[in-house]
Amino acid sequence: MANNEESRGLKSLLDWFANRRKSGTISHERQEREIADGLWHKCAKCGVLTYTKDLKANQMVCIECGHHNRVDSDERIRQLIDRDTWRPMDEHLRPTDPLQFRDRKPYSDRLREMQEKIGLIDAVKTGLGQINGLPVALGVMDFRFMGGSMGSVVGEKLTRMIEQATQRRYPVVIICTSGGARMQEGMLSLMQMAKISAALQRHRDAKLLYIPVLTHPTTGGVTASFAMLGDIILAEPKATIGFAGRRVIEQTIREKLPEDFQTAEDLLKHGFVDDIVPRTQLKNTLAQLIGLHQPVPTAPHMVLWESRSLSSSAAE
């Protein structure tokens, strides 16, 4: 009798474990659904679940391990620019398909899908604002839009922003994140490297400050041009920064690269980056650098938002 009870108990225990295994997928799906709903966020590095409100309050930096989660351009602007001081520029510029490029689908279709999915016209937002009361021209790249690739609109918007900053004698800050030049626009994309670099040189000739902030990842033609032309180059911790990809380099030189190769820390060690600044300290660091190198202009003709090239709605 006792043996029968023990066998039934063992059987029920085995059934319980079997049911748990069967329901494991459902539980996993439920967990993923709860995370997708935005209540919790699972860190990609340490795996710790963090209440999303706490994570956002810490600027999307993991409280447990310090991992810097990727943020979009709107969030970057909220983190850096003083409230009610942001004035966007050139929002009407839209990408076209001059080469009629097609791979698995037409480039024009890819653009339309990205615009509908993400709500952006292209991979960068530019504008004027204030950082702790100091005027600045800010460009923020967005990796969600075709990997932050640099097409004609990205180049044109950044160039116009830099020229506007030169005219106003404002410092320029660009938050860089990109996979490089946009292959669907061919040589037109590569031309943006020279165009932006030329605008930055005119800005430098006017003895004005330019600070690029390299975030994860910053690669390709962006690294080969404006990302590395700063007077002071900042980077976020553990950001991947380079030109060619790690695998391509290893196949070319037929050697194994160090684990920290192309990280912000490695670039700092070799002098390519001036400082690594955690995201939670970035706004104050930028304000200190701008205040030291670019005091607020006091000339009467340098009114903060006065500009002929901005629309009447923006020129307040």
Side-chain angles (χ1 to χ4, degrees):
M1 185 72 175
N3 290 336
N4 290 336
E5 290 179 354
E6 289 178 1
S7 62
R8 282 198 300 271
L10 180 60
K11 183 177 181 181
S12 63
L13 185 61
L14 292 174
D15 290 340
W16 182 79
F17 278 113
N19 290 333
R20 278 185 61 87
R21 283 196 295 269
K22 290 178 182 178
S23 63
T25 304
I26 299 174
S27 299
H28 179 70
E29 290 176 354
R30 185 180 298 113
Q31 180 186 17
E32 292 295 328
R33 186 164 59 250
E34 289 175 356
I35 293 174
D37 288 340
L39 185 60
W40 297 91
H41 183 277
K42 184 177 181 180
C43 179
K45 184 176 181 181
C46 67
V48 169
L49 284 176
T50 306
Y51 193 42
T52 303
K53 286 186 177 180
D54 293 338
L55 189 64
K56 287 184 176 180
N58 202 43
Q59 300 190 10
M60 298 304 291
V61 177
C62 179
I63 300 170
E64 186 71 21
C65 68
H67 173 67
H68 283 52
N69 295 283
R70 187 176 291 148
V71 296
D72 59 41
S73 52
D74 288 329
E75 182 63 24
R76 286 278 185 188
I77 293 169
R78 282 193 291 269
Q79 291 174 1
L80 294 176
I81 298 297
D82 298 346
R83 189 171 181 177
D84 298 328
T85 66
W86 177 249
R87 299 294 185 270
M89 299 173 60
D90 301 309
E91 292 183 294
H92 64 284
L93 294 181
R94 304 183 68 88
T96 60
D97 185 12
L99 304 181
Q100 301 296 305
F101 189 93
R102 182 187 182 95
D103 42 59
R104 287 179 295 177
K105 63 175 68 175
Y107 175 44
S108 56
D109 290 349
R110 290 189 183 277
L111 288 173
R112 184 171 58 255
E113 290 175 4
M114 284 285 104
Q115 290 165 351
E116 292 174 354
K117 179 180 178 181
I118 300 173
L120 297 177
I121 294 178
D122 213 299
V124 72
K125 285 192 172 186
T126 58
L128 305 175
Q130 296 181 31
I131 297 179
N132 288 353
L134 299 171
V136 66
L138 176 68
V140 183
M141 304 188 74
D142 199 313
F143 196 79
R144 297 176 302 162
F145 195 101
M146 299 186 70
S149 53
M150 179 180 57
S152 299
V153 168
V154 171
E156 183 66 18
K157 290 185 72 170
L158 288 175
T159 300
R160 292 188 185 190
M161 179 198 72
I162 296 164
E163 290 174 345
Q164 186 71 236
T166 304
Q167 177 185 336
R168 295 168 174 268
R169 300 194 62 79
Y170 284 1
V172 169
V173 175
I174 299 179
I175 309 297
C176 304
T177 175
S178 177
R182 189 171 299 174
M183 57 170 285
Q184 290 88 347
E185 296 188 20
M187 184 60 71
L188 297 174
S189 175
L190 297 178
M191 287 170 58
Q192 308 311 311
M193 299 168 61
K195 183 166 71 175
I196 298 170
S197 299
L200 285 172
Q201 183 59 49
R202 292 190 291 271
H203 189 261
R204 174 173 289 182
D205 291 342
K207 302 186 185 304
L208 299 171
L209 179 66
Y210 165 49
I211 303 176
V213 181
L214 314 184
T215 69
H216 178 77
T218 300
T219 59
V222 170
T223 304
S225 55
F226 61 88
M228 288 295 179
L229 294 178
D231 300 300
I232 302 172
I233 302 176
L234 304 180
E236 284 191 340
K238 305 297 182 183
T240 297
I241 305 165
F243 180 67
R246 181 190 187 96
R247 183 175 58 184
V248 173
I249 296 174
E250 286 183 337
Q251 290 175 348
T252 302
I253 66 175
R254 298 184 181 182
E255 291 183 13
K256 188 70 175 175
L257 295 169
E259 287 299 321
D260 64 346
F261 180 72
Q262 289 186 332
T263 62
E265 289 72 15
D266 187 49
L267 267 70
L268 177 65
K269 184 170 64 177
H270 289 89
F272 288 94
V273 169
D274 293 303
D275 198 8
I276 297 173
V277 182
R279 190 179 298 160
T280 52
Q281 302 173 21
L282 182 58
K283 181 174 181 177
N284 289 334
T285 300
L286 288 173
Q288 290 174 356
L289 292 173
I290 292 170
L292 286 170
H293 293 82
Q294 182 91 15
V296 178
T298 57
H301 66 280
M302 301 185 72
V303 181
L304 185 58
W305 301 123
E306 183 181 7
S307 173
R308 296 178 183 177
S309 60
L310 288 177
S311 64
S312 58
S313 60
E316 298 177 357

